[in-house]
Amino acid sequence: MDLAELGRRVHSTAHLTGEFVLRSGQTTNEYFDKYRFEADPVLLDEIAAALVPLVPDGTEVLAGLEMGGIPVVTALGRHTGLPCAFVRKQAKPYGTRRLAEGAETAGRRVTIVEDVVTTGGQIVLSTNELRTLGATITDALCVINRNPTTPAPLTTVGLTLHALLTPEQLRA
């Protein structure tokens, strides 16, 4: 499936209109309900296959951010064979008490995986925490970047964002 057709399918599956408040606090009348495309196993698999060429060379671990990045990173891991880490918003005070479950990230080149990016706030927070724990992170990838360019908070912390789809592609 080509990217234009994939964009049409994601749009028809996940695009909602109304009034929505985003994680960033911004209000919008257009929303992409990531759970709708993540809950469709066939569409999610096609998205993951299309994301493979965006994975930077040298990536040793794919790190999906809670919660929406988890299904995406799992599907992408199936296509790349790369191990996955599942990154919490904060470490739990019990069990392993780890921020990232699954694959070890310390001392490894990690690529952050997210579903939809608006400001990149959670990517920045998680990147900073994982770097503190020893991960090397220079790249993030997402299914949808709601912006025409990489959000400034990401470039400020030295991240390059690789987006599968932009709003223009979804509206085409």
Short mmCIF file of all heavy atoms in Angstrom, two decimals, residues 67-102:
data_model
loop_
_atom_site.label_atom_id
_atom_site.label_comp_id
_atom_site.label_asym_id
_atom_site.label_seq_id
_atom_site.Cartn_x
_atom_site.Cartn_y
_atom_site.Cartn_z
N MET A 67 0.77 5.79 26.51
CA MET A 67 0.17 4.50 26.28
C MET A 67 0.09 4.22 24.78
O MET A 67 0.26 3.09 24.35
CB MET A 67 -1.22 4.48 26.91
CG MET A 67 -1.99 3.22 26.71
SD MET A 67 -3.41 3.16 27.77
CE MET A 67 -4.66 2.73 26.61
N GLY A 68 -0.13 5.25 24.00
CA GLY A 68 -0.34 5.06 22.56
C GLY A 68 0.86 4.55 21.81
O GLY A 68 0.71 3.90 20.78
N GLY A 69 2.06 4.83 22.27
CA GLY A 69 3.25 4.35 21.58
C GLY A 69 3.50 2.87 21.76
O GLY A 69 4.26 2.26 20.99
N ILE A 70 2.84 2.25 22.75
CA ILE A 70 3.08 0.83 23.04
C ILE A 70 2.61 -0.08 21.90
O ILE A 70 3.38 -0.92 21.43
CB ILE A 70 2.46 0.42 24.40
CG1 ILE A 70 3.01 1.28 25.53
CG2 ILE A 70 2.63 -1.06 24.65
CD1 ILE A 70 4.48 1.16 25.81
N PRO A 71 1.37 0.05 21.42
CA PRO A 71 0.99 -0.84 20.31
C PRO A 71 1.80 -0.57 19.04
O PRO A 71 2.14 -1.50 18.31
CB PRO A 71 -0.50 -0.56 20.09
CG PRO A 71 -0.85 0.60 20.93
CD PRO A 71 0.24 0.85 21.90
N VAL A 72 2.14 0.70 18.80
CA VAL A 72 2.92 1.03 17.61
C VAL A 72 4.31 0.41 17.69
O VAL A 72 4.78 -0.21 16.73
CB VAL A 72 3.01 2.57 17.41
CG1 VAL A 72 3.89 2.89 16.21
CG2 VAL A 72 1.62 3.18 17.22
N VAL A 73 4.97 0.55 18.84
CA VAL A 73 6.32 0.01 18.97
C VAL A 73 6.31 -1.52 18.91
O VAL A 73 7.22 -2.13 18.35
CB VAL A 73 7.04 0.53 20.24
CG1 VAL A 73 6.63 -0.22 21.50
CG2 VAL A 73 8.54 0.45 20.08
N THR A 74 5.30 -2.14 19.45
CA THR A 74 5.20 -3.60 19.40
C THR A 74 5.06 -4.09 17.96
O THR A 74 5.76 -5.01 17.54
CB THR A 74 4.02 -4.09 20.27
OG1 THR A 74 4.20 -3.62 21.61
CG2 THR A 74 3.92 -5.60 20.26
N ALA A 75 4.18 -3.43 17.20
CA ALA A 75 4.01 -3.81 15.79
C ALA A 75 5.28 -3.52 15.00
O ALA A 75 5.70 -4.32 14.15
CB ALA A 75 2.81 -3.06 15.20
N LEU A 76 5.92 -2.38 15.27
CA LEU A 76 7.15 -2.03 14.56
C LEU A 76 8.27 -3.01 14.89
O LEU A 76 9.05 -3.39 14.01
CB LEU A 76 7.55 -0.59 14.91
CG LEU A 76 8.77 -0.02 14.20
CD1 LEU A 76 8.63 -0.09 12.69
CD2 LEU A 76 9.01 1.41 14.67
N GLY A 77 8.35 -3.42 16.13
CA GLY A 77 9.35 -4.41 16.53
C GLY A 77 9.19 -5.71 15.77
O GLY A 77 10.19 -6.36 15.41
N ARG A 78 7.97 -6.10 15.49
CA ARG A 78 7.73 -7.32 14.71
C ARG A 78 8.31 -7.20 13.31
O ARG A 78 8.79 -8.16 12.74
CB ARG A 78 6.23 -7.60 14.60
CG ARG A 78 5.59 -8.11 15.87
CD ARG A 78 4.13 -8.53 15.67
NE ARG A 78 4.02 -9.54 14.64
CZ ARG A 78 3.39 -9.36 13.47
NH1 ARG A 78 2.83 -8.21 13.18
NH2 ARG A 78 3.33 -10.34 12.59
N HIS A 79 8.23 -5.99 12.75
CA HIS A 79 8.72 -5.78 11.39
C HIS A 79 10.22 -5.57 11.30
O HIS A 79 10.82 -5.87 10.27
CB HIS A 79 7.99 -4.59 10.73
CG HIS A 79 6.61 -4.93 10.29
ND1 HIS A 79 6.33 -5.41 9.03
CD2 HIS A 79 5.43 -4.86 10.94
CE1 HIS A 79 5.03 -5.63 8.93
NE2 HIS A 79 4.46 -5.30 10.07
N THR A 80 10.82 -5.02 12.35
CA THR A 80 12.26 -4.72 12.32
C THR A 80 13.10 -5.78 12.99
O THR A 80 14.31 -5.88 12.73
CB THR A 80 12.56 -3.39 13.02
OG1 THR A 80 12.20 -3.50 14.40
CG2 THR A 80 11.84 -2.23 12.35
N GLY A 81 12.50 -6.54 13.90
CA GLY A 81 13.26 -7.50 14.70
C GLY A 81 14.00 -6.84 15.85
O GLY A 81 14.74 -7.52 16.57
N LEU A 82 13.83 -5.53 16.03
CA LEU A 82 14.50 -4.83 17.12
C LEU A 82 13.76 -5.03 18.44
O LEU A 82 12.53 -5.09 18.46
CB LEU A 82 14.58 -3.33 16.81
CG LEU A 82 15.52 -2.93 15.68
CD1 LEU A 82 15.29 -1.47 15.30
CD2 LEU A 82 16.96 -3.16 16.09
N PRO A 83 14.51 -5.12 19.54
CA PRO A 83 13.86 -5.24 20.84
C PRO A 83 13.14 -3.94 21.21
O PRO A 83 13.53 -2.86 20.74
CB PRO A 83 15.02 -5.52 21.81
CG PRO A 83 16.23 -5.01 21.12
CD PRO A 83 15.97 -5.11 19.64
N CYS A 84 12.14 -4.07 22.05
CA CYS A 84 11.31 -2.92 22.43
C CYS A 84 11.36 -2.68 23.93
O CYS A 84 11.42 -3.61 24.73
CB CYS A 84 9.85 -3.17 22.04
SG CYS A 84 9.60 -3.41 20.27
N ALA A 85 11.30 -1.40 24.27
CA ALA A 85 11.12 -0.98 25.65
C ALA A 85 9.79 -0.25 25.72
O ALA A 85 9.41 0.45 24.77
CB ALA A 85 12.26 -0.07 26.09
N PHE A 86 9.11 -0.41 26.83
CA PHE A 86 7.83 0.23 27.05
C PHE A 86 8.03 1.26 28.15
O PHE A 86 8.29 0.90 29.30
CB PHE A 86 6.77 -0.80 27.44
CG PHE A 86 6.73 -1.97 26.47
CD1 PHE A 86 7.09 -3.23 26.88
CD2 PHE A 86 6.36 -1.79 25.15
CE1 PHE A 86 7.08 -4.31 26.01
CE2 PHE A 86 6.35 -2.85 24.26
CZ PHE A 86 6.71 -4.12 24.69
N VAL A 87 7.93 2.54 27.78
CA VAL A 87 8.31 3.62 28.67
C VAL A 87 7.08 4.19 29.38
O VAL A 87 6.15 4.68 28.72
CB VAL A 87 9.04 4.74 27.90
CG1 VAL A 87 9.50 5.83 28.85
CG2 VAL A 87 10.23 4.16 27.12
N ARG A 88 7.12 4.14 30.70
CA ARG A 88 6.05 4.70 31.51
C ARG A 88 6.21 6.21 31.62
O ARG A 88 7.29 6.74 31.45
CB ARG A 88 6.10 4.11 32.92
CG ARG A 88 5.96 2.62 32.99
CD ARG A 88 6.07 2.17 34.45
NE ARG A 88 6.11 0.74 34.58
CZ ARG A 88 5.06 -0.08 34.50
NH1 ARG A 88 3.87 0.43 34.27
NH2 ARG A 88 5.19 -1.38 34.63
N LYS A 89 5.11 6.87 31.98
CA LYS A 89 5.21 8.31 32.25
C LYS A 89 5.98 8.55 33.54
O LYS A 89 6.64 9.56 33.70
CB LYS A 89 3.82 8.93 32.31
CG LYS A 89 3.19 8.95 30.93
CD LYS A 89 1.87 9.64 30.88
CE LYS A 89 1.43 9.69 29.43
NZ LYS A 89 0.04 9.43 29.24
N GLN A 90 5.90 7.60 34.44
CA GLN A 90 6.73 7.62 35.64
C GLN A 90 6.87 6.19 36.15
O GLN A 90 5.98 5.37 35.96
CB GLN A 90 6.15 8.52 36.72
CG GLN A 90 4.79 8.10 37.24
CD GLN A 90 4.24 9.09 38.25
OE1 GLN A 90 4.59 10.26 38.23
NE2 GLN A 90 3.39 8.63 39.13
N ALA A 91 8.00 5.92 36.75
CA ALA A 91 8.25 4.57 37.27
C ALA A 91 7.25 4.26 38.37
O ALA A 91 6.90 5.13 39.18
CB ALA A 91 9.67 4.47 37.80
N LYS A 92 6.78 3.02 38.40
CA LYS A 92 5.87 2.60 39.47
C LYS A 92 6.67 2.41 40.76
O LYS A 92 7.84 2.03 40.71
CB LYS A 92 5.16 1.30 39.10
CG LYS A 92 4.11 1.48 38.03
CD LYS A 92 3.34 0.19 37.84
CE LYS A 92 2.21 0.38 36.86
NZ LYS A 92 1.44 -0.84 36.67
N PRO A 93 6.04 2.63 41.89
CA PRO A 93 6.77 2.47 43.16
C PRO A 93 6.84 1.02 43.65
O PRO A 93 7.24 0.76 44.77
CB PRO A 93 5.94 3.33 44.12
CG PRO A 93 4.56 3.29 43.57
CD PRO A 93 4.72 3.22 42.08
N TYR A 94 6.46 0.08 42.81
CA TYR A 94 6.50 -1.33 43.18
C TYR A 94 7.01 -2.15 42.00
O TYR A 94 7.30 -1.62 40.94
CB TYR A 94 5.11 -1.81 43.63
CG TYR A 94 4.04 -1.62 42.57
CD1 TYR A 94 3.81 -2.59 41.62
CD2 TYR A 94 3.29 -0.45 42.53
CE1 TYR A 94 2.85 -2.41 40.63
CE2 TYR A 94 2.32 -0.27 41.56
CZ TYR A 94 2.10 -1.25 40.61
OH TYR A 94 1.16 -1.06 39.64
N GLY A 95 7.12 -3.45 42.19
CA GLY A 95 7.62 -4.33 41.12
C GLY A 95 9.06 -3.98 40.79
O GLY A 95 9.89 -3.80 41.69
N THR A 96 9.35 -3.85 39.52
CA THR A 96 10.72 -3.54 39.11
C THR A 96 11.09 -2.08 39.35
O THR A 96 12.26 -1.73 39.33
CB THR A 96 10.93 -3.82 37.61
OG1 THR A 96 10.07 -2.96 36.86
CG2 THR A 96 10.66 -5.29 37.28
N ARG A 97 10.09 -1.24 39.54
CA ARG A 97 10.28 0.20 39.76
C ARG A 97 11.03 0.86 38.62
O ARG A 97 11.71 1.86 38.81
CB ARG A 97 10.99 0.46 41.09
CG ARG A 97 10.23 -0.04 42.27
CD ARG A 97 10.96 0.25 43.55
NE ARG A 97 10.16 -0.30 44.65
CZ ARG A 97 10.58 -0.37 45.87
NH1 ARG A 97 11.79 0.05 46.19
NH2 ARG A 97 9.81 -0.88 46.81
N ARG A 98 10.90 0.32 37.44
CA ARG A 98 11.62 0.84 36.29
C ARG A 98 10.76 1.82 35.49
O ARG A 98 9.55 1.67 35.40
CB ARG A 98 12.04 -0.31 35.38
CG ARG A 98 13.05 -1.24 36.04
CD ARG A 98 13.46 -2.33 35.14
NE ARG A 98 14.05 -1.71 33.95
CZ ARG A 98 14.74 -2.36 33.05
NH1 ARG A 98 14.93 -3.65 33.17
NH2 ARG A 98 15.25 -1.74 32.01
N LEU A 99 11.43 2.78 34.88
CA LEU A 99 10.77 3.71 33.96
C LEU A 99 10.47 3.01 32.65
O LEU A 99 9.40 3.17 32.08
CB LEU A 99 11.66 4.94 33.71
CG LEU A 99 11.13 5.94 32.69
CD1 LEU A 99 9.92 6.67 33.27
CD2 LEU A 99 12.21 6.90 32.27
N ALA A 100 11.43 2.22 32.18
CA ALA A 100 11.28 1.50 30.92
C ALA A 100 11.30 0.00 31.18
O ALA A 100 12.27 -0.52 31.73
CB ALA A 100 12.39 1.88 29.95
N GLU A 101 10.24 -0.67 30.78
CA GLU A 101 10.14 -2.12 30.92
C GLU A 101 10.50 -2.77 29.59
O GLU A 101 10.41 -2.16 28.54
CB GLU A 101 8.71 -2.51 31.31
CG GLU A 101 8.21 -1.88 32.60
CD GLU A 101 8.81 -2.50 33.86
OE1 GLU A 101 9.60 -3.46 33.76
OE2 GLU A 101 8.47 -2.01 34.94
N GLY A 102 10.89 -4.02 29.66
CA GLY A 102 11.24 -4.74 28.43
C GLY A 102 12.73 -4.66 28.18
O GLY A 102 13.54 -4.91 29.08
#
